[in-house]
Amino acid sequence: MKRDKAFLELGSKTLLALSVETLQQINSENISIVIAENSDKFQDYCVITDIYKNRGTLGGIHSALTNCDEEFALVIACDYPFISAELLNFLLKNVENNDEDCVAPIQSDGIIQPLCAIYRTENCLKILTAILEEFDETPSARDFLKRIDTKFIEFKEFQHLENAENFFLNINTPEEFEKAVAIHNER
């Protein structure tokens, strides 16, 4: 996008504000924003910077887990503007009474979503720290999910939720942002 996606506006709200609002709808008390480098743009939020610099998605997940005092950490990316509280509550229900280290959805085309997942903090942090310390080249977040005990939730299990087909519309290009604006305006 060549600019900070968190502050793109969809309607009258930034993508970051939409993500925070979604998390607040599931009664999340502790919301932290993980960013790669310090920036005064995020002054209204609890901000965590990456511990392992330039390690991409896994660096951000690692920082979130390191700073989480709870048994589980719910991680979402702000550039998925259509993730809903209903989806997050559905994922949370799948965590209850399960022993897996992670619950992650799979979108309709079979792609695993590590940036809309729930992680068992202590177990995942140990494995992720070892990966980040051992390898100079960081494996993909999807590879990480395959290395831990992950419960994958197939799309057919949550496709009944409103707007499920757009949950994982990821905004990385101006064209994807235009598509998100069009979907938002239709809704």
Side-chain angles (χ1 to χ4, degrees):
M1 288 295 294
K2 298 183 181 172
R3 61 187 234 187
D4 196 334
K5 294 186 286 186
F7 296 100
L8 290 173
E9 289 191 7
L10 194 57
S12 62
K13 298 178 183 172
T14 65
L15 297 184
L16 179 58
L18 290 169
S19 294
V20 170
E21 282 182 9
T22 299
L23 291 169
Q24 289 172 330
Q25 290 175 34
I26 61 164
N27 297 324
S28 180
E29 295 174 17
N30 301 312
I31 299 172
S32 298
I33 311 302
V34 179
I35 59 174
E37 300 294 329
N38 281 324
S39 171
D40 60 354
K41 291 180 173 181
F42 296 90
Q43 60 191 355
D44 295 338
Y45 302 96
C46 176
V47 175
I48 299 165
T49 56
D50 283 347
I51 296 164
Y52 288 91
K53 305 292 183 199
N54 303 314
R55 300 306 287 270
T57 299
L58 289 185
I61 293 171
H62 175 271
S63 295
L65 296 176
T66 298
N67 287 279
C68 182
D69 295 329
E70 304 298 327
E71 180 179 5
F72 293 98
L74 170 60
V75 175
I76 65 170
C78 74
D79 58 358
Y80 289 132
F82 300 114
I83 287 176
S84 70
E86 291 79 18
L87 173 63
L88 299 181
N89 282 324
F90 179 80
L91 295 176
L92 287 166
K93 285 183 181 173
N94 276 278
V95 169
E96 296 172 6
N97 302 316
N98 285 309
D99 295 330
E100 289 90 3
D101 291 327
C102 179
V103 172
I106 300 175
Q107 62 189 46
S108 61
D109 62 1
I111 295 176
I112 299 166
Q113 285 299 328
L115 289 177
C116 178
I118 301 171
Y119 297 89
R120 187 177 302 274
T121 305
E122 186 177 341
N123 294 356
C124 291
L125 183 58
K126 285 179 195 173
I127 295 167
L128 188 50
T129 300
I131 289 170
L132 291 170
E133 288 180 358
E134 182 178 341
F135 297 102
D136 290 331
E137 295 255 340
T138 306
S140 76
R142 291 178 181 100
D143 289 338
F144 167 61
L145 292 184
K146 293 175 183 174
R147 292 180 185 202
I148 59 176
D149 185 15
T150 301
K151 179 178 182 177
F152 294 105
I153 308 295
E154 297 288 337
F155 181 76
K156 65 183 177 186
E157 296 179 55
F158 59 88
Q159 70 182 5
H160 65 282
L161 299 175
E162 184 180 349
N163 203 31
E165 67 278 4
N166 294 313
F167 285 159
F168 306 114
L169 173 65
N170 185 225
I171 298 176
N172 288 314
T173 66
E175 294 77 22
E176 290 167 340
F177 182 62
E178 287 176 24
K179 182 176 179 179
V181 168
I183 291 168
H184 175 77
N185 290 342
E186 287 176 16
R187 297 182 76 217

